[in-house]
Amino acid sequence: MANAPHGGVLKDLVARDEHLRENLKAEAHTLPDIVLTERQLCDLELIMNGGFSPLEGFMNEADYKGVVDNLRLADGALFPIPITLDVSREDIDRLHLAAGSRIALRDPRDDQALAIITVEDIYRPDQVKEAIQVFGADDPAHPAVAYLRNKVKEYYVGGKVQAIQPPTHFDYVALRYTPAELRAHFKKLAWRRVVAFQTRNPMHRAHRELTVRAARQRQANVLIHPVVGLTKPGDVDHYTRVRVYEAIMAKYPNGMGHLALLPLAMRMAGPREAVWHAIIRKNFGATHFIVGRDHAGPGKNSQGKDFYGPYDAQDLVMKYHEELQIEMVPFQQMTYLPSTDEYQPVDEVPKGTQTLDISGTELRRRLKTGAPIPDWFSYDAVVKTLRESYPPRAKQGFVIFLTGLHGSGKDTIAKALQVTLNQQGGRSVSLLLGDNIRPDLDTPFSATPEEHSKNLQRLAFVAAELARAGAAVILAPNAYTQASRDAIKDTILHQAGPGGNFFGIHVATPLEHCEANDRKGVYARARAGEIRGVPGVDATFEPVERPQLTVDTTKQNIPEIVHSIVLLLETDSLL
């Protein structure tokens, strides 16, 4: 028998509102709307299918404050993570948001109306307090804090939703189960005890052994329940991971395990996240939940220390054990014993016994370099899948980002580097100069600051897509602020997949030299007031932070500079 949902009732809003679907769909056409972000979309899907039971919408201020301060909703129910719908002041004014407003919530991918929210309240949260209370520190090294600072808008809208339809998925549809569907599946198979395993990483032999061991100890079946929503930036993409999960399921005894995908946007909140994960798996019908070492931890903080202790997550889940009503299965790290060809928890290995391990960092190094991965660590089918998605360094794309003043020589360096890389061969080489994808269509410095920012975003997107496909990209836009440079780098690192190899190069040619050799007369026109926004005249070129290479055309010739860039790529095994 499947576990009871959190709060006693599965809040399946899609089933609840099915009889109203056509009326709600028609009403949505008449309403102002909010196009959801990717994280809001993940949250809404789990609100509507009951994965976040007992929630029936985005948290109002009372629920939000209770969760941030005490891990509890206003009615006292345990819930550790704030689920919020963030909007800007402009959104509030544009949509005329107020208590009682009805707003359609739309899928950002196809613009379909998914639900209607009835606004209960609009409030301005203390986001610094949220970071400290929920994530443990207001430290941008934490991915959720960085998201809170850079992506989340300043106001939250609270209110219950009525479901029109769930989001449409085109990938791995057969592996996507709602809580009601997964519960029905367990019932059909007569699974009375189900151990759920949470993961956002590829699985290897150690994970298989850990889950089988948990099932054996609890006389249960195994639910492999990986996250395929938003995970930590830099994680292996979910398409690759699902192919890995499908390959590893064949290694379980027939009938022992089942694979289902979870469209969750993780927060990497460590102990609180572990409690949240337990609640979600309880809603999906699991009776047991594996909590490992440093569960949902984001890694190191700005001081180089772990954000959370290795067993803080297990301790917090145990603290709320009676309320959660899902049995935690605690596990330490598994290690390989070559003498017996088996995996054991590290705390059960006799002192002096030889053990072998491969860290995540070492695994990534072997994948990038093509070094062998032993069969004691993983399975051939898993390694083959990972190698297909993560080619060796010499086949990966990269982005060379040149920044400097107008006339610094960055365009000349970029063109010379393009010739050199074309001569090298092995990759296509793309050159993106100036502010625009087609710089010949626009006059330099003619764009407004808003247009300039959008142009840089477009360039970064194009560069990321090219690098993802294995190209060498030379990017030399007019990016004069550190914020714009950071935004370009962030796009490359997070969207280019295995091509997310980024090299920032500051062409630090002095202003006097740039102006003296300005054949196009840009500086003269700026000083005459004919054009505006020219760094060095009426705009500031902000200092370049942490470039991988700094060059100066008054001290080095172009071949020397190009050679130094080639050496940088060679040092990183990309050439």
Side-chain angles (χ1 to χ4, degrees):
M1 179 179 174
N3 204 353
H6 192 53
V9 178
L10 185 67
K11 302 290 186 174
D12 187 340
L13 308 188
V14 175
R16 183 198 69 185
D17 299 332
E18 174 63 29
H19 68 292
L20 300 172
R21 182 174 184 271
E22 292 305 318
N23 291 338
L24 292 170
K25 191 173 182 180
E27 183 187 359
H29 284 296
T30 70
L31 296 175
D33 53 42
I34 293 174
V35 177
L36 301 171
T37 64
E38 190 176 357
R39 185 164 94 172
Q40 292 167 350
L41 179 66
C42 291
D43 287 350
L44 180 62
E45 181 169 2
L46 287 166
I47 289 170
M48 292 199 301
N49 69 21
F52 284 172
S53 295
L55 299 189
E56 295 183 43
F58 291 96
M59 290 179 181
N60 59 29
E61 187 171 19
D63 284 332
Y64 166 79
K65 286 185 173 179
V67 167
V68 169
D69 291 337
N70 306 307
L71 291 81
R72 295 190 181 279
L73 300 172
D75 65 4
L78 179 67
F79 208 94
I81 299 291
I83 307 298
T84 54
L85 179 63
D86 57 294
V87 296
S88 66
R89 167 48 65 184
E90 291 74 19
D91 293 329
I92 294 170
D93 295 339
R94 175 177 57 86
L95 300 171
H96 305 292
L97 291 179
S101 300
R102 284 172 68 76
I103 306 293
L105 303 178
R106 293 191 177 274
D107 190 322
R109 303 165 304 165
D110 58 14
D111 207 41
Q112 290 293 312
L114 304 178
I116 295 174
I117 183 171
T118 301
V119 176
E120 292 180 23
D121 57 8
I122 303 164
Y123 55 101
R124 187 164 195 165
D126 183 341
Q127 292 179 335
V128 172
K129 180 180 179 182
E130 179 180 336
I132 294 169
Q133 293 286 90
V134 178
F135 306 115
D138 183 29
D139 184 343
H142 193 298
V145 175
Y147 187 95
L148 191 62
R149 286 189 181 189
N150 302 323
K151 302 285 183 67
V152 175
K153 297 173 184 175
E154 63 268 33
Y155 293 91
Y156 293 167
V157 172
K160 294 184 177 180
V161 302
Q162 289 177 290
I164 299 174
Q165 62 184 13
T168 301
H169 294 287
F170 299 101
D171 59 330
Y172 307 114
V173 176
L175 297 176
R176 293 179 181 271
Y177 291 78
T178 68
E181 290 168 345
L182 203 52
R183 287 167 169 274
H185 184 75
F186 296 157
K187 183 176 180 180
K188 180 178 180 179
L189 297 180
W191 285 12
R192 295 179 59 83
R193 299 164 70 84
V194 180
V195 178
F197 179 63
Q198 144 82 30
T199 183
R200 46 170 256 272
N201 294 311
M203 291 177 65
H204 302 286
R205 269 194 65 180
H207 304 103
R208 187 264 185 198
E209 298 302 322
L210 181 155
T211 51
V212 168
R213 187 182 180 94
R216 190 185 305 128
Q217 290 177 352
R218 300 309 193 276
Q219 292 295 294
N221 293 89
V222 176
L223 170 65
I224 304 301
H225 208 202
V227 170
V228 294
L230 285 180
T231 59
K232 183 181 176 183
D235 281 353
V236 176
D237 68 274
H238 83 271
Y239 300 105
T240 299
R241 290 190 289 111
V242 175
R243 291 196 293 272
V244 165
Y245 303 141
E246 289 178 316
I248 209 165
M249 291 308 295
K251 304 299 180 181
Y252 284 86
N254 189 36
M256 174 180 279
H258 185 71
L259 172 63
L261 309 183
L262 180 68
L264 177 70
M266 289 184 67
R267 272 56 165 186
M268 307 303 298
R272 280 192 182 230
E273 184 114 0
V275 174
W276 190 38
H277 288 175
I279 289 171
I280 293 166
R281 274 39 184 239
K282 178 185 177 185
N283 287 330
F284 275 85
T287 56
H288 298 69
F289 180 56
I290 295 172
V291 180
R293 186 181 184 278
D294 193 27
H295 185 100
K300 305 292 185 184
N301 63 18
S302 296
Q303 285 72 49
K305 298 179 180 178
D306 289 333
F307 272 97
Y308 312 115
Y311 301 108
D312 288 355
Q314 292 181 0
D315 292 343
L316 195 64
V317 173
M318 185 57 66
K319 175 182 176 180
Y320 294 110
H321 172 72
E322 290 298 323
E323 288 180 82
L324 285 171
Q325 289 297 299
I326 183 171
E327 184 179 332
M328 179 180 71
V329 182
F331 260 98
Q332 291 203 3
Q333 183 179 345
M334 301 290 283
T335 189
Y336 179 69
L337 280 62
S339 60
T340 55
D341 187 29
E342 65 176 345
Y343 277 85
Q344 293 278 358
V346 291
D347 60 330
E348 297 181 15
V349 176
K351 192 172 182 180
T353 303
Q354 182 191 10
T355 62
L356 296 175
D357 293 292
I358 292 180
S359 67
T361 301
E362 172 63 13
L363 174 63
R364 287 189 290 274
R365 186 194 69 78
R366 294 187 183 215
L367 287 171
K368 287 177 178 178
T369 61
I373 297 171
D375 57 7
W376 60 260
F377 177 78
S378 195
Y379 300 101
D380 289 343
V382 170
V383 174
K384 180 176 181 292
T385 297
L386 290 173
R387 289 203 190 281
E388 287 171 352
S389 295
Y390 287 81
R393 296 289 281 171
K395 298 293 183 182
Q396 292 175 18
F398 56 82
V399 175
I400 300 292
F401 176 54
L402 296 156
T403 186
L405 290 166
H406 173 76
S408 62
K410 62 183 175 64
D411 288 9
T412 304
I413 295 167
K415 292 172 184 176
L417 180 61
Q418 181 187 31
V419 171
T420 300
L421 293 178
N422 276 328
Q423 178 180 313
Q424 173 92 18
R427 291 183 182 85
S428 64
V429 184
S430 295
L431 180 63
L432 301 175
L433 299 178
D435 290 359
N436 303 287
I437 296 171
R438 286 287 306 277
D440 53 301
L441 298 180
D442 293 277
T443 304
F445 306 105
S446 62
T448 66
E450 293 76 16
E451 290 169 340
H452 180 64
S453 177
K454 287 182 179 179
N455 286 336
L456 292 179
Q457 292 173 24
R458 294 186 187 106
L459 276 175
F461 171 78
V462 171
E465 291 301 303
L466 289 167
R468 178 194 290 277
V473 183
I474 305 165
L475 187 60
N478 298 316
Y480 303 128
T481 67
Q482 188 58 40
S484 66
R485 299 176 204 125
D486 288 342
I488 290 171
K489 181 177 180 179
D490 184 71
T491 298
I492 303 301
L493 294 179
H494 295 158
Q495 296 185 21
N501 302 296
F502 181 90
F503 301 88
I505 298 172
H506 181 201
V507 184
T509 305
L511 173 63
E512 297 75 21
H513 181 84
C514 297
E515 191 164 0
N517 292 274
D518 178 20
R519 292 179 58 250
K520 294 182 179 180
V522 169
Y523 288 103
R525 291 174 62 204
R527 294 193 186 282
E530 296 176 18
I531 56 176
R532 300 188 61 79
V534 177
V537 180
D538 64 337
T540 301
F541 185 93
E542 296 181 4
V544 179
E545 298 178 6
R546 301 177 299 279
Q548 276 101 327
L549 186 66
T550 299
V551 299
D552 182 345
T553 57
T554 65
K555 299 177 181 177
Q556 302 159 274
N557 61 39
I558 299 299
E560 286 177 320
I561 292 172
V562 169
H563 184 62
S564 65
I565 297 172
V566 169
L567 289 176
L568 185 66
L569 294 169
E570 192 278 332
T571 301
D572 220 43
S573 304
L574 287 162
L575 293 178

